[in-house]
Amino acid sequence: MATDIRATRPAARPPDPRPVELPRDGGRHHRGDIEGLRALAVLLVIAEHLFGRPVGGFVGVDVFFVISGFLITGLLLREHRERGRISFADFYRRRIRRILPASVLVLAVTVVAAQVVFFETRARATLEDALWSLLFAGNWHFALEGTDYQQAAGPVSPLQHYWSLSVEEQFYVVWPAVMAVALALAGWRRRHRVKGLKGIAAITAALVAGGYAWALHETAADPTWAYFSTFSRVWELGLGALLAVTVPAAARIPARVRPLLGWAGLAAIGAGVLVLDAGTPFPAPGALLPVLGAVAVIAAGTGGDSGLGLLTNPVARYVGALSYSLYLWHFPVIVVLAALMPVDLPYYALVLGITALGSVASYHLVEQPIRRSAWLVPGVPGVPGVRREPRAWRTGLRLATAVAAGLAAVLVAAQATGIGWPWSRDAGAQTPPPAAASAAPAAGAARDAAGTPAANPAGELSAEISAALTATEWPELTPGLDALGPAAQATEWTRDECLNVLDTTDRCRYGDPQAPRTAVLLGDSVAISWMPGLREALGAGWSVQSLTLGQCPQVGVRVRSVQEIPGFTDYCAEHQQWVLEQVQRLAPDLVVVGSSANAVDRLSSGADGAAALAEWQEGLAAMLAGLDTTPARVVVLAAPPEGENLEECATRFNGPQDCVSSGRAGHGDLVEAERATVARFAPAAAEVVYVDTRAWFCDAQGRCPSFVDGTPVFADGTHLTAAYSQRLAPVLRATLLG
């Protein structure tokens, strides 16, 4: 720790409040059990991100929060004990020296790798994520994106894991000031013969209790926001801080109890890993079990030996020392390599190898040398023990060398995997379609020269799908690969905001309101993705009313929202009933129903497999019965088979064959269940038709291209692009009108 120049001068007047007597364990830098706990935490996170197992591996981040709160608070207490005050300048210098060098290195390498591998939109998004992460505001940035349903199916950012660093750094901004106030108050209490540590512990405990209460509220009200929110996570760091403040109590734990407490803590972390999953309310109360487990492990080793050889052996301690670098490197490597090669055994081996190599290199070449250097340490000539500021070029050269080494590793990995050097290819430039695709009719060729529908629009479409499946280079796409996502979705959704229709005003009614015939569209966001094609297929003489609601299928089942929004299930059920009432009121000539295939996975009953399909069939029959009092034609469109998200799949190093999909698992079973339900339904007034739409997206073997005749099929892997929806107008017309 740097020596403060003021500490070398005799004080004119000794400070009256004497430093509070504090034990030393809370501020120790090197504890083998904590290094081993870091190793366990980072390995859990890497395993969950890479293999998807264990499903609760994400709790490793919560363990890190506890460790950080404990160590940082211990350092602040030790500084106050030794110097009688807390130096904010010294504290932030230490944080910068510890956090920034490796963080900036990984950000730089990731941004460059994204520019090399991804197309413009995703590369630009990665740069934006890097800027937010550099400012330690990544958690708020990702929370804002996560609360937007349109982004739910978007590509994963290679820098998304930086959110936890942002939470910690935001805690570091506030916590030293809180501690300074608490210690000043403790000094005042000491002068009045009140034990100081009890006062500090009371303040910290109050902050922990308040933080946990807020986390419970925010998790229930807005779980996506709560996951990234500093306010919902501060109690985890606070528990570590509380342990640092109460070190005297931990130091008095009997020796025979320490191993029991330590193993119980590890068992609690393990239980959290096994029982928690993406559906668990998190971070409160879900994180409580692993957080308390981490507290128990650290407490067991405070002031004595916990006997946890699993954590204190040399291998675990070394991995723990590398944990920061391992955490920084693993996620960009996982995401970027997944875009370049199949996710198989060589992929896993390469991810682990590059992560290990990058982590060891950055730890020994960047982290440790800079931490040992005098960078940011104020130099004071003539004062023994105070180091001079190093020459700036040395630090700059070290960081530049590390960045260059990281970029070289990326390029070598590209060559080793057979991807090749970026300059030896056309870097994914969009080229004219191959001969087979060029020979296919252009979009809209399903109409003849007079503009009337072609004789066989389904045959034309099938030929175009077959041609797309033979393409070997990315053709000129419209919209292009750099214009997908929400920008490519139905404008009725993104521009007109007619996804969530809560009344029947003319704002979400298309065509002439006085038209002789009326159609209504029912369902969720996948349903409104049909709207561009539906409007073009019906043409003049029709008005089309949207009655959709995002994530709410117009099927008589109760569903949860993707983000587990409280109250959504009841709200959706009410909307389903309201829609049936509006259909009765409007008395349309045509009712079109569409739903997302993933809705059957979100049943509030928790049913899955055959039970979920049976519940879905029952709900579909109930919905048809509710529509049967209107003498209209009812067309139920099968959900499109979900495909590859081109924003994720397409890179400058692959081709269309790498983005051919076989649809969503279980999609065929859902289609057959719906078909059987409609076939058994005996309408009294309505004419009910079920349409298996798979032939509009895939060939007879179930292979589904990512584009058809130069038009991307999906904007995000789930929702149709507006252009492809319009491309389907000829086959929709034949289906809708019979």
Side-chain angles (χ1 to χ4, degrees), residues 506-534:
D506 290 342
R507 187 179 66 83
C508 292
R509 190 165 187 169
Y510 296 92
D512 183 0
Q514 305 303 319
R517 291 180 289 183
T518 301
V520 294
L521 176 64
L522 317 181
D524 52 21
S525 59
V526 168
I528 204 172
S529 297
W530 294 107
M531 182 64 93
L534 177 63

Side-chain angles (χ1 to χ4, degrees), residues 20-31 34 70-71 73-83 197 243-251 301-304:
V20 180
E21 288 297 326
L22 300 170
R24 300 176 181 274
D25 292 75
R28 278 164 47 188
H29 280 286
H30 301 292
R31 273 182 50 179
I34 290 182
F70 176 77
L71 292 180
T73 304
L75 289 172
L76 293 172
L77 292 174
R78 185 179 69 176
E79 181 178 9
H80 187 271
R81 181 188 66 240
E82 294 176 350
R83 300 166 60 176
L197 275 179
L243 178 59
V245 173
T246 58
V247 157
T302 300

Side-chain angles (χ1 to χ4, degrees), residues 179-403:
M179 287 298 299
V181 172
L183 288 165
L185 180 60
W188 178 88
R189 292 168 66 89
R190 181 188 179 92
R191 292 199 308 275
H192 291 77
R193 293 180 168 67
V194 180
K195 297 212 176 190
L197 275 179
K198 289 185 178 179
I200 300 173
I203 293 172
T204 308
L207 291 174
V208 170
Y212 184 71
W214 176 256
L216 285 171
H217 163 74
E218 198 163 40
T219 300
D222 193 343
T224 301
W225 186 267
Y227 189 88
F228 293 107
S229 171
T230 302
F231 302 110
S232 295
R233 296 286 189 165
V234 70
W235 65 274
E236 302 178 39
L237 292 121
L239 273 175
L242 183 60
L243 178 59
V245 173
T246 58
V247 157
R252 291 193 293 269
I253 296 174
R256 64 180 180 278
V257 176
R258 292 183 181 278
L260 297 177
L261 180 62
W263 284 108
L266 287 179
I269 296 172
V273 168
L274 295 176
V275 304
L276 301 179
D277 57 30
T280 305
F282 210 86
L288 186 59
L289 181 61
V291 164
L292 291 179
V295 170
V297 172
I298 298 172
T302 300
D305 183 10
S306 62
L308 297 178
L310 177 68
L311 302 182
T312 56
N313 65 81
V315 174
R317 295 185 65 172
Y318 182 67
V319 174
L322 293 177
S323 60
Y324 180 55
S325 286
L326 286 167
Y327 184 80
L328 291 177
W329 281 106
H330 84 280
F331 203 66
V333 176
I334 288 173
V335 173
V336 173
L337 280 185
L340 294 174
M341 61 187 299
V343 179
D344 51 16
L345 187 58
Y347 164 80
Y348 294 130
L350 196 57
V351 166
L352 294 174
I354 294 178
T355 299
L357 180 63
S359 301
V360 170
S362 63
Y363 176 76
H364 289 288
L365 299 178
V366 178
E367 283 189 65
Q368 291 302 96
I370 290 180
R371 289 180 71 183
R372 296 193 196 102
S373 74
W375 182 49
L376 295 183
V377 176
V380 184
V383 179
V386 180
R387 305 178 69 177
R388 295 175 178 270
E389 183 76 19
R391 294 184 181 179
W393 66 267
R394 291 180 181 173
T395 301
L397 179 61
R398 191 187 306 278
L399 191 56
T401 302
V403 171

